């Protein structure tokens, strides 16, 4: 098991956001967490990324294990550096005052100085040719879709083996959404493990192997994508009938 | 007339160099932590005192000649002053950051830390002023009615070299890139595998080391040290950084020289007691028209 979340309970101040949820991700899988706003999807990702307060919640119960080891005491930068688990946050959070290339370069901060970075840059530019065209541009001048590509490309440049994505389709035009999800599928085929949080459940279940439905901080349903897509309650609540 | 203008320009550059060197430290820390480190002026004072002790030790105990004492004093003071800055960050600011304290409390902590440095100095070393020992022989050169000393020129060159160095760090190195990234979006920095605390420590090292350098140069230029020497110059350097556009090192540099120039010009035409009144009024007017400072831009984020 690459990642397992066990009976995780977290709080923001006095407000409990997760009430003992469990889920796991195996190497090479695409797993999706779906659910309404406020269900605890982002909270789950922030907890795994070990982000510090005030953004992130405090774990009050349960455990998060990466390859069997608890990571509750791991610093957020070490989750990226040592566990090679990267997060593409909701809202992209690209560094708008840096160029596209600088954003990508910054993501290599914790990697070995002699790592073969050129190959990795080339891989990003193959996946997202638009970024190659705009590599010298200040990234705040990119369109929303290009910013999302940069956010994904930047996360990949950390040298991660597993990628968490928080609402990657948000704010994208339909054609860009499909393009992005095709790219994610392709990444997965090349061996990248994905943990995908999406409000657009249909899009997520289309590419995911398995999924979990979150509802107000608990797991309401789980199963393979086909099972979830065929589940009448899931269909009614998240897939528009 | 021309000679008098040139003379004032040289004086303004020298005087502005101190503001610029200190303002750079304010702006670096602000850029990374959005914290106005009000203790920074007192770090400058501590730097001057460290320089005093190192220089006295080198001259009397080691019996070194002046130039060798200076060669020892500069690196030793910069290292020791940066240690003071890093210690301040570690014991005063980091615990608050860990608890997610509101910025207001951190600023108040900074003010308190500054007062502790001033009064700690007063308690330990007493109220008597210290005379900084002469390290180099000051030579006065006069060219076409304009006179300047080797020390004045050294002060100005130092300020420019420090700016060039910091500009290189911020624009060309990975740490500098991380500093710029933090100033734009703190949240995403750890997600890049960058330990925030390391970048913050580097920021305090740079800011404090150059405040220490300013302390040495100031003590050599005006060789009387007292515990409150950093208070007013610190406030002024902070204002210089704000006028330049706090968070931008070009702004701090230009702002420092601007303030130096305004003060020198005021003294050239008015009684010197008008200096701060007119100086601050000019800065107030600049901020009225450009509240984000000369190099500051209102931040916008794209969703």
């Amino acid at each position: 098991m690459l990642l397992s979340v066990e009976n995780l309970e977290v709080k923001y101040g006095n407000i409990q956001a997760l009430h003992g949820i469990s889920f796991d991700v195996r190497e090479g899988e695409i797993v999706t967490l779906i659910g309404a706003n406020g269900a605890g999807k982002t909270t789950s990702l922030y907890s795994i990324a070990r982000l510090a307060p005030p953004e992130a919640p405090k774990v009050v119960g349960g455990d998060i294990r990466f390859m069997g080891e608890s990571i509750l005491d791991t610093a957020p930068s070490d989750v990226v550096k040592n566990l090679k688990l990267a997060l593409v946050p909701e809202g992209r959070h690209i560094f708008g005052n840096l160029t596209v290339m600088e954003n990508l370069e910054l993501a290599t901060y914790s990697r070995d100085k002699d790592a073969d970075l050129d190959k990795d840059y080339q891989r990003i530019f193959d996946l997202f040719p638009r970024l190659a065209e705009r590599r010298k541009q200040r990234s705040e001048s990119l369109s929303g879709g290009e910013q999302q590509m940069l956010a994904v490309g930047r996360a990949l440049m950390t040298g991660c083996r597993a990628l968490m994505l928080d609402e990657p389709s948000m704010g994208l035009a339909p054609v860009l959404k499909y393009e992005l999800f095709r790219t994610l599928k392709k990444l997965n085929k090349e061996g990248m493990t994905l943990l995908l949080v999406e409000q657009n459940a249909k899009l997520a279940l289309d590419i995911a192997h398995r999924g979990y439905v979150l509802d107000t901080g608990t797991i309401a349903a789980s199963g393979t994508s086909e099972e979830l897509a065929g589940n009448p309650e899931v269909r009614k609540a998240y897939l528009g009938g | 007339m021309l000679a008098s203008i040139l003379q004032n320009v040289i004086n303004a550059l020298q005087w502005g160099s101190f503001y610029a060197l200190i303002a750079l430290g304010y702006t670096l820390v602000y850029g990374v932590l959005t914290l106005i480190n009000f203790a920074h002026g007192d770090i400058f004072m501590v730097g001057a005192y460290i320089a005093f002790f190192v220089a006295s030790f080198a001259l009397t105990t080691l019996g070194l000649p002046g130039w060798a004492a200076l060669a020892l004093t500069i690196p030793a003071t910069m290292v020791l002053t940066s240690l003071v800055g890093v210690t301040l960050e570690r014991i005063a600011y980091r615990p608050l950051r860990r608890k997610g304290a509101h910025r207001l409390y951190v600023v108040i902590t900074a003010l308190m830390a500054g007062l502790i440095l001033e009064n700690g100095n007063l308690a330990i070393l007493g109220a008597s002023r210290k005379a900084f020992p002469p390290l180099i022989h000051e030579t006065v050169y006069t060219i076409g009615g304009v006179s300047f000393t080797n020390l004045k020129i050294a002060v100005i060159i130092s300020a420019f070299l420090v700016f060039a160095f910091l500009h290189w760090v911020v624009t060309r190195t990975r740490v500098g890139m991380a500093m710029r990234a933090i100033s734009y979006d703190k949240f995403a920095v750890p997600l890049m595998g960058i330990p925030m605390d390391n970048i913050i420590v580097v920021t305090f090292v740079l800011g404090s080391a150059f405040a220490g350098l300013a302390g040495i140069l100031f003590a050599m230029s005006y060789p009387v040290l007292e515990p409150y020497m950093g208070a007013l110059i610190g406030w002024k350097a902070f204002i210089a950084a704000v006028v330049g556009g706090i968070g931008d090192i070009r702004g701090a540099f230009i702002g420092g020289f601007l303030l130096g120039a305004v003060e020198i010009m005021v003294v050239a035409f008015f009684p010197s007691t008008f200096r701060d009144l007119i100086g601050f009024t000019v800065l107030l007017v600049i901020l009225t028209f450009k509240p984000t400072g000369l190099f500051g831009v209102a931040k916008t984020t794209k969703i």
Side-chain angles (χ1 to χ4, degrees), chain A residues 153-179:
Chain A
R154 190 180 64 170
L156 293 173
M157 278 313 291
T158 61
C160 61
R161 63 177 152 196
L163 196 56
M164 302 188 278
L165 298 113
D166 194 359
E167 307 280 6
S169 79
M170 190 185 269
L172 296 188
V175 56
L176 290 174
K177 279 184 201 177
Y178 295 121
E179 197 182 309

Side-chain angles (χ1 to χ4, degrees), chain A residues 93 96-97 102 108 142 147, chain B residues 174 180 184-185 187 199 302:
Chain A
H93 286 276
N97 58 341
E102 285 176 327
T108 67
L142 300 182
Q147 291 194 0
Chain B
R174 248 186 224 184
R180 279 185 290 149
Y184 192 87
D185 191 333
F187 171 82
I199 306 297
K302 204 175 205 171

Side-chain angles (χ1 to χ4, degrees), chain A:
Chain A
M1 204 64 70
L2 191 67
L3 175 73
S4 43
V5 170
E6 299 165 359
N7 299 314
L8 188 66
E9 292 178 52
V10 305
K11 280 185 172 177
Y12 286 102
N14 291 324
I15 301 158
Q16 186 142 6
L18 296 179
H19 301 271
I21 65 162
S22 301
F23 62 87
D24 46 53
V25 181
R26 286 185 277 261
E27 187 117 42
E29 270 189 322
I30 302 181
V31 173
T32 183
L33 305 179
I34 54 181
N37 252 340
K41 305 181 305 273
T42 298
T43 300
S44 302
L45 294 192
Y46 283 6
S47 304
I48 298 168
R50 305 308 310 129
L51 289 175
E55 291 91 356
K58 196 171 150 63
V59 173
V60 293
D63 203 356
I64 303 169
R65 291 174 184 279
F66 193 84
M67 300 182 76
E69 306 249 347
S70 173
I71 61 167
L72 291 183
D73 293 328
T74 307
S77 56
D78 287 337
V79 170
V80 180
K81 185 182 177 199
N82 300 334
L83 310 181
K84 305 204 176 302
L85 177 57
L87 168 65
V88 180
E90 181 187 333
R92 296 150 202 149
H93 286 276
I94 58 157
F95 302 114
N97 58 341
L98 307 186
T99 65
V100 168
M101 198 59 197
E102 285 176 327
N103 267 274
L104 296 175
E105 225 179 307
L106 195 60
T108 67
Y109 188 91
S110 64
R111 297 179 64 178
D112 290 342
K113 296 292 168 278
D114 56 354
D116 191 5
L117 297 179
D118 287 346
K119 218 174 61 199
D120 285 11
Y121 287 123
Q122 198 48 54
R123 174 170 170 240
I124 305 299
F125 292 142
D126 288 342
L127 281 172
F128 305 111
R130 295 289 285 279
L131 294 183
E133 291 165 27
R134 301 184 188 276
R135 69 175 87 189
K136 294 223 170 79
Q137 223 165 297
R138 248 172 98 95
S139 60
E140 65 191 350
S141 69
L142 300 182
S143 72
E146 290 162 346
Q147 291 194 0
Q148 187 60 269
M149 294 175 198
L150 179 57
V152 175
R154 190 180 64 170
L156 293 173
M157 278 313 291
T158 61
C160 61
R161 63 177 152 196
L163 196 56
M164 302 188 278
L165 298 113
D166 194 359
E167 307 280 6
S169 79
M170 190 185 269
L172 296 188
V175 56
L176 290 174
K177 279 184 201 177
Y178 295 121
E179 197 182 309
L180 178 68
F181 273 66
R182 266 198 302 277
T183 308
L184 294 180
K185 189 79 199 167
K186 187 171 156 200
L187 277 172
N188 175 253
K189 288 242 165 67
E190 292 169 5
M192 182 69 64
T193 308
L194 300 179
L195 175 56
L196 176 64
V197 157
E198 255 301 336
Q199 277 201 55
N200 189 332
K202 179 167 176 352
L203 211 52
L205 289 175
D206 272 351
I207 66 163
H209 301 106
R210 294 189 299 120
Y212 296 83
V213 178
L214 263 72
D215 186 17
T216 53
T218 56
I219 302 266
S222 67
T224 65
S225 297
E226 293 76 24
E227 284 166 5
L228 288 177
N231 179 326
E233 278 176 35
V234 174
R235 292 182 70 90
K236 196 164 150 238
Y238 305 106
L239 297 172

Side-chain angles (χ1 to χ4, degrees), chain B residues 190-241:
Chain B
L191 300 179
M192 303 295 102
I194 301 171
M196 278 278 262
D197 286 342
N198 293 10
I199 306 297
I200 290 167
V201 166
V202 171
T203 309
F204 274 87
V205 165
L206 289 172
S208 311
F210 294 125
L213 179 66
I216 305 168
L217 295 170
F218 192 86
M220 287 170 73
S221 308
Y222 311 96
V224 180
L225 309 186
E226 47 101 7
Y228 300 109
M229 64 185 279
L232 187 60
I233 198 171
W235 278 106
K236 289 184 177 178
F238 159 63
I239 291 161

Side-chain angles (χ1 to χ4, degrees), chain B residues 29-279:
Chain B
V29 169
Y30 184 85
V32 169
L33 286 180
T34 26
L35 160 69
I36 296 162
N37 179 16
F38 278 123
H40 192 62
D42 298 301
I43 297 278
F44 157 80
M45 174 275 290
V46 170
Y49 272 84
I50 290 173
F52 167 78
F53 287 112
V54 175
S56 307
F57 175 78
L59 287 172
T60 50
T61 315
L62 298 180
L64 294 178
W67 61 268
L70 180 62
L72 176 72
T73 302
I74 290 174
T77 302
M78 288 175 71
V79 169
L80 292 172
T81 312
S82 61
L83 283 180
V84 174
V86 170
T87 308
L88 179 69
E89 192 277 317
R90 182 65 62 93
I91 63 176
Y93 305 149
R94 189 177 293 189
L96 290 175
R97 202 164 63 241
R98 288 269 187 279
K99 294 196 172 76
H102 189 275
R103 275 167 60 190
L104 179 64
Y105 301 105
V106 190
V107 169
I108 291 169
T109 304
L111 278 168
M112 295 306 115
L115 290 173
I116 287 171
L117 288 175
E118 287 171 18
N119 291 291
N121 179 333
L122 192 64
I124 296 168
L125 300 175
S128 68
R129 300 172 165 208
K130 299 263 180 271
F132 195 80
L135 294 175
I136 57 166
H137 182 69
E138 252 187 276
T139 320
V140 182
Y141 304 93
T142 307
I143 300 174
V146 182
S147 56
F148 50 89
T149 64
N150 48 356
L151 184 58
K152 270 191 183 176
I153 299 303
V155 168
I156 297 168
I157 291 175
S158 304
F160 276 83
L161 286 180
V162 166
F163 173 73
F165 173 74
L166 285 180
H167 189 72
W168 173 78
V169 168
V170 168
T171 55
R172 294 274 174 265
T173 67
R174 248 186 224 184
V175 173
M177 220 186 272
M179 289 163 75
R180 279 185 290 149
I182 292 174
S183 75
Y184 192 87
D185 191 333
K186 269 184 195 51
F187 171 82
V189 168
L191 300 179
M192 303 295 102
I194 301 171
M196 278 278 262
D197 286 342
N198 293 10
I199 306 297
I200 290 167
V201 166
V202 171
T203 309
F204 274 87
V205 165
L206 289 172
S208 311
F210 294 125
L213 179 66
I216 305 168
L217 295 170
F218 192 86
M220 287 170 73
S221 308
Y222 311 96
V224 180
L225 309 186
E226 47 101 7
Y228 300 109
M229 64 185 279
L232 187 60
I233 198 171
W235 278 106
K236 289 184 177 178
F238 159 63
I239 291 161
V242 171
V243 167
I246 194 154
D248 188 303
I249 63 164
R250 289 169 306 172
F253 194 64
I254 302 291
F257 284 113
L258 187 69
L259 181 57
V262 168
E263 291 194 359
I264 295 289
M265 294 305 155
V266 169
V267 175
F269 297 107
F270 297 95
S272 64
T273 45
F274 284 25
R275 188 182 67 184
D276 292 349
L277 176 67
I278 298 180

